[in-house]
Amino acid sequence: MITSYMQDNPSMFVSRASKFLLSVLVLIQLLPTQLLAQRSKSPWQTLTGEAPLVIARGGFSGLFPDSSFNAYSFVASTSAPDAVLWCDVQLTKDGVGICFPYVTMYNDSNVQEAYPKKKNSYLLNGVPTQDWFTVDFTSRDLNTVFLTRGVLSRSNAFDNTQNVISTVQEVASEFKPAGFWLNVQHDAFYTQHNLSMSSFLLTVSKTVIIDYLSSPEVSFFRNIGGRFGKTGPKFVFRFLDKDDVEVSTNQTYGSLMKNLTFIKTFASGVLVPKSYIWPVKDQYLLPHTSFVRDAHTAGLQVYGSGFANDFDIAYNYSYDPLTEYLSFMDNGDFSVDGFLSDFPLTASSAIDCFSHLGSNASTQVDFLVISKNGANGDYPGSTDLAYTKAIKDGADIIDCAVQMSSDGIPFCLNSTNLGESMNIVQTPFRNRSTTVPEFNSLAGLYSFNLAWSEIQTLTPAISNPYSRNFHMFRNPRERSSGKLVSLSEFLNLANNSSSLVGVLINVEHAAYLREKQGLDVVKAVLDTLKESGYSNATKRVMIQSSNSSVLVDIKKQSRYETVYQVEETIRDIQDSAIQDIKKFADAVVVGRFSLYPISASFITGQTNLVERLQKFKLPVYVETFRNEFVSQAYDFLSDATVEINTHVTGAGVSGTITEFPLTAARYKRNRCVARKDTPVYMIPVRPAGLLEIVSPTFLPPAEAPNPVITDADVTEPPLPPVTAKAPTTSPGPLPTDKKAPNGQTRVTLSVFLSAFDVVLASLLLL
């Protein structure tokens, strides 16, 4: 069971239920009341002018089984102190009210295993439905049934026999929520089975404070209205999909939404799918509707539903759920009055820490936001559009991974292999592919195979790192937008920006290019920097490489900052190796998993790598941060901001290298991180905390420890001299049987396509 999750809170993850309950109650009672006063004082466009409400649907149901003890307790240790607990009320055969997601039980429990022969068939809203129904079981029967994940794409690691089904009274008494919301979805169905939801609610209200009561049935409110007296709950009419039919009026919800004055006769608020407010077509936002303003005019509060960090959201949000929340409350036109969320932490931080920041909000936490190929999550990487957006989004440093064309022009692109970042299959250059064993055993079209003028004719392709396994795509409308830029153009773009702190230039494969292609990338970079006026520029210039020989060479020839990149995932670096690194590097880049190693998508601990490197006065930059929730360990709660916060305030990194600079830049300005009493939703996660409550059968297997960097891993021989290369013939496409300058036979089109089939499949236009 859970007492607290975030890193700095006491009494974490005790196992016994008695300790769990005691700790949760203490935590809830001791959450400082000043947090409520610290809520944003900015004017809100809600009906009452107050900040929107956070409603935790079934608790923290984005991680734990909906309505489980773990889910409800996790809200207190991660979310706003005034967060409301949501309970979907179902009735059992003996009239007991339980918190369970649906009247049907198969999807959210192990009921099939407990009672394999009790499947039944009933009419549910006029539709014949086969399932296990709560009305067929007494509350005692359900003692052997436990809750499981209801969304199959979520982890089943928390499905266990501790997830007992709780009654409404048990949830209220154990957690004493600041607000308690009961949702009644099928009142008419229970009436057909001689069960009275109204009688249950009136009885339970004598011992349980019900703050909000919602239902999608008009007849339910007509029957129960006035029976609670003046101190009863707020009635909230729940709208379902527009084409669904409300059972008592026989009208669609789309029709009912046009008659809000009628809704006001029995309800003080409405709960609507978020598409009622921000419609979406082809996963892009359409202009927002006037629904919120219309409802406010009618005197109705508006609560939005369907918010979850791990659901598909509009491409406009760049896979950042925090951005989605802000669009519903901080858009200048309206604000919803509350959010029904599976991840209440994100809603809490959006409201309290990030709302109404404004473009001129001051920096609250000091670290560098470094782009990865520009805003690579929104546009094809290393293009003019990607860099322009990175600057607009607030990056401190924009980066250029330098590649060399055959005619010696340095330009920006993530990979030497053009096929990894460009659409090349249908180009006239496809039969210029070569096999370069130093890079790949398969044939590829490399930057040094083409002149810069030829490369400029290629169409860029947006990176889709999670398209194959998760069918997640980035900004399809812009999948081929933008143009590549030379290093000179990149430097001029950066120089013209008043907001940028500097640039980072990544240099790789210098030895190969000198020996095999007759190209000196180090000289090309230094010459271009000088020609672009960076010798005496005020902007910082950082040159990064995973090769110490490159940085040694640059140190000899310039005073630019040098950054050593550790490509592999490690757990430590020997002191002697760090001392060697200090001779040629001013900072170090490591991967995220070198700080927080993971297994089966769970954090297994934290290394002291940052602390050790900073002890030697070496800043540590961490790569690569992405917004897609599948890129993050479960511990980060499908929230990119939680991951950034844990690395910055938890591990103390000096900078983040990210494909979505906006998320990191906005985090720097959030008002919560600098508070004396940091709210729980802005505290770093506790490393390996979730593993302490994972079901034993789902614990990830022990893995071999990551390696330690030694002197031998760091030390390299000097760069070789440039070896002159015989000039090539005409730059046009070569016949497939003609010898290349290096003596290799050009491969045929069929061979080229087969070699690139795997690499390019995810990059083809959709």
Side-chain angles (χ1 to χ4, degrees):
M1 296 295 182
I2 303 168
T3 59
S4 173
Y5 175 64
M6 311 314 271
Q7 192 175 78
D8 292 343
N9 287 354
S11 305
M12 298 184 180
F13 297 93
V14 295
S15 58
R16 295 186 180 275
S18 59
K19 290 183 180 179
F20 156 71
L21 292 175
L22 176 61
S23 299
V24 168
L25 290 174
V26 170
L27 176 62
I28 294 173
Q29 292 169 5
L30 293 183
L31 278 172
T33 56
Q34 62 261 34
L35 286 182
L36 292 175
Q38 289 173 348
R39 294 287 290 268
S40 172
K41 301 298 183 182
S42 300
W44 289 97
Q45 293 177 292
T46 55
L47 181 64
T48 63
E50 308 238 336
L53 199 64
V54 176
I55 310 152
R57 193 186 71 85
F60 210 112
S61 55
L63 183 65
F64 300 102
D66 190 318
S67 306
S68 65
F69 262 44
N70 280 352
Y72 283 129
S73 65
F74 205 64
V75 175
S77 47
T78 59
S79 307
D82 58 349
V84 173
L85 295 189
W86 165 285
C87 165
D88 283 293
V89 184
Q90 315 300 339
L91 293 180
T92 62
K93 189 175 183 178
D94 50 346
V96 174
I98 59 172
C99 292
F100 193 87
Y102 302 100
V103 67
T104 54
M105 302 186 69
Y106 172 74
N107 193 60
D108 294 271
S109 73
N110 72 330
V111 67
Q112 183 184 21
E113 299 172 11
Y115 297 99
K117 297 181 180 180
K118 296 202 73 170
K119 188 175 185 180
N120 215 331
S121 180
Y122 295 118
L123 284 177
L124 192 61
N125 290 343
V127 179
T129 304
Q130 285 193 344
D131 209 297
W132 285 257
F133 293 81
T134 62
V135 295
D136 290 330
F137 300 92
T138 66
S139 56
R140 188 169 185 175
D141 292 335
L142 296 181
N143 288 338
T144 58
V145 178
F146 62 85
L147 294 153
T148 60
R149 58 172 179 164
V151 179
L152 295 182
S153 59
R154 293 172 176 168
S155 174
N156 61 351
F158 305 103
D159 295 351
N160 58 56
T161 54
Q162 295 180 9
N163 295 321
V164 297
I165 297 173
S166 302
T167 66
V168 171
Q169 294 94 323
E170 287 170 340
V171 172
S173 63
E174 301 296 358
F175 300 106
K176 293 179 172 55
F180 199 25
W181 187 311
L182 301 186
N183 179 61
V184 177
Q185 199 74 6
H186 297 288
D187 178 58
F189 175 79
Y190 289 114
T191 300
Q192 293 167 8
H193 290 266
N194 299 316
L195 293 168
S196 174
M197 182 63 77
S198 297
S199 296
F200 165 75
L201 293 171
L202 291 169
T203 300
V204 79
S205 67
K206 296 175 182 178
T207 56
V208 172
I209 297 175
I210 306 171
D211 298 283
Y212 300 86
L213 185 61
S214 62
S215 175
E217 298 180 12
V218 173
S219 59
F220 170 75
F221 289 111
R222 285 176 170 169
N223 294 333
I224 204 170
R227 299 173 67 183
F228 279 102
K230 294 182 179 180
T231 59
K234 291 184 178 181
F235 289 168
V236 180
F237 181 67
R238 185 176 191 180
F239 281 84
L240 304 182
D241 290 341
K242 293 179 181 179
D243 293 333
D244 288 348
V245 176
E246 196 281 319
V247 292
S248 59
T249 62
N250 203 32
Q251 294 186 53
T252 65
Y253 289 96
S255 297
L256 289 172
M257 70 175 287
K258 299 174 184 176
N259 193 1
L260 294 175
T261 54
F262 167 66
I263 304 299
K264 179 59 179 173
T265 62
F266 59 84
S268 62
V270 292
L271 175 66
V272 298
K274 58 187 180 182
S275 60
Y276 275 52
I277 302 167
W278 277 105
V280 174
K281 183 179 180 181
D282 299 327
Q283 216 170 320
Y284 282 95
L285 290 177
L286 297 174
H288 67 73
T289 69
S290 62
F291 183 86
V292 175
R293 287 200 298 263
D294 294 343
H296 285 172
T297 299
L300 291 165
Q301 292 184 302
V302 180
Y303 306 96
S305 67
F307 290 90
N309 296 3
D310 56 353
F311 287 175
D312 284 340
I313 59 176
Y315 292 121
N316 311 67
Y317 301 131
S318 301
Y319 288 102
D320 185 353
L322 200 152
T323 301
E324 181 182 37
Y325 283 108
L326 292 174
S327 75
F328 280 81
M329 64 176 174
D330 191 10
N331 54 55
D333 291 326
F334 64 86
S335 173
V336 298
D337 299 274
F339 297 96
L340 178 60
S341 174
D342 291 12
F343 292 83
L345 176 148
T346 306
S348 300
S349 66
I351 294 167
D352 191 21
C353 307
F354 295 97
S355 62
H356 307 114
L357 282 180
S359 58
N360 296 322
S362 60
T363 296
Q364 301 297 314
V365 56
D366 185 26
F367 69 100
L368 288 177
V369 176
I370 305 170
S371 74
K372 181 72 170 181
N373 308 309
N376 187 29
D378 296 302
Y379 291 97
S382 306
T383 61
D384 55 341
L385 294 181
Y387 288 127
T388 300
K389 189 169 193 304
I391 295 171
K392 178 183 177 183
D393 287 348
D396 300 306
I397 305 285
I398 58 172
D399 70 303
C400 171
V402 175
Q403 312 301 335
M404 296 291 288
S405 64
S406 62
D407 52 346
I409 303 298
F411 66 97
C412 304
L413 194 64
N414 183 49
S415 173
T416 304
N417 187 340
L418 298 175
E420 294 181 6
S421 305
M422 310 292 286
N423 291 312
I424 66 171
V425 172
Q426 297 182 0
T427 70
F429 312 115
R430 58 185 178 266
N431 54 3
R432 289 212 212 161
S433 66
T434 56
T435 300
V436 181
E438 291 88 344
F439 297 159
N440 200 310
S441 60
L442 299 176
L445 183 64
Y446 294 93
S447 64
F448 44 76
N449 295 140
L450 302 181
W452 173 234
S453 60
E454 295 172 322
I455 293 171
Q456 289 177 292
T457 66
L458 300 176
T459 302
I462 200 166
S463 170
N464 285 305
Y466 305 110
S467 59
R468 178 169 298 178
N469 293 331
F470 300 100
H471 302 287
M472 298 177 72
F473 297 88
R474 294 174 170 177
N475 199 6
R477 287 182 182 172
E478 305 292 345
R479 60 180 177 261
S480 300
S481 298
K483 66 181 183 67
L484 294 184
V485 296
S486 66
L487 177 59
S488 176
E489 292 170 326
F490 166 84
L491 293 172
N492 289 335
L493 176 67
N495 209 24
N496 291 331
S497 168
S498 59
S499 62
L500 282 179
V501 173
V503 295
L504 183 146
I505 299 170
N506 191 11
V507 177
E508 298 295 338
H509 312 303
Y512 170 84
L513 290 171
R514 282 188 173 191
E515 282 189 311
K516 301 296 178 67
Q517 299 298 329
L519 297 169
D520 191 342
V521 63
V522 172
K523 184 177 186 301
V525 166
L526 295 177
D527 287 349
T528 306
L529 281 166
K530 183 177 180 180
E531 293 164 3
S532 300
Y534 276 75
S535 297
N536 300 307
T538 57
K539 283 186 168 51
R540 292 174 63 177
V541 176
M542 306 160 69
I543 301 180
Q544 172 183 309
S545 181
S546 62
N547 298 117
S548 60
S549 56
V550 170
L551 301 182
V552 168
D553 200 25
I554 288 172
K555 277 286 189 185
K556 290 179 180 178
Q557 302 183 60
S558 74
R559 295 184 178 180
Y560 299 127
E561 296 180 49
T562 51
V563 181
Y564 183 58
Q565 179 186 14
V566 180
E567 290 186 304
E568 61 183 326
T569 299
I570 61 173
R571 73 176 187 272
D572 202 355
I573 303 179
Q574 290 181 351
D575 284 356
S576 56
I578 298 177
Q579 290 169 345
D580 285 345
I581 291 172
K582 274 192 66 68
K583 295 175 183 177
F584 58 80
D586 303 301
V588 177
V589 169
V590 297
R592 294 176 297 152
F593 303 146
S594 291
L595 305 189
Y596 293 100
I598 68 167
S599 178
S601 293
F602 287 98
I603 294 176
T604 58
Q606 179 181 356
T607 68
N608 64 348
L609 198 57
V610 173
E611 179 183 353
R612 285 180 38 70
L613 287 167
Q614 290 179 346
K615 181 181 177 181
F616 284 85
K617 309 299 181 184
L618 285 170
V620 180
Y621 309 128
V622 180
E623 64 175 7
T624 301
F625 289 87
R626 291 167 171 160
N627 282 359
E628 290 95 341
F629 69 91
V630 295
S631 71
Q632 303 147 15
Y634 290 125
D635 306 69
F636 297 127
L637 309 175
S638 300
D639 187 333
T641 300
V642 174
E643 182 178 32
I644 293 169
N645 180 52
T646 299
H647 280 79
V648 173
T649 63
V653 304
S654 311
T656 58
I657 301 174
T658 173
E659 296 180 344
F660 296 88
L662 176 62
T663 304
R666 181 184 57 210
Y667 166 77
K668 291 181 67 171
R669 297 181 289 117
N670 90 79
R671 66 175 67 89
C672 293
V673 72
R675 288 180 186 164
K676 182 178 180 181
D677 296 314
T678 306
V680 291
Y681 34 85
M682 202 49 65
I683 295 175
V685 304
R686 179 173 178 257
L690 287 184
L691 284 181
E692 298 184 24
I693 53 172
V694 165
S695 303
T697 54
F698 293 105
L699 283 172
E703 297 183 355
N706 292 322
V708 175
I709 293 291
T710 66
D711 301 51
D713 298 312
V714 172
T715 306
E716 293 179 347
L719 286 175
V722 177
T723 301
K725 183 181 177 184
T728 60
T729 56
S730 169
L734 295 175
T736 57
D737 59 346
K738 187 171 182 178
K739 294 286 184 177
N742 61 3
Q744 292 178 305
T745 302
R746 300 291 183 181
V747 296
T748 63
L749 174 60
S750 60
V751 173
F752 171 80
L753 289 176
S754 63
F756 271 82
D757 185 57
V758 173
V759 175
L760 296 177
S762 63
L763 296 177
L764 296 178
L765 298 180
L766 302 174

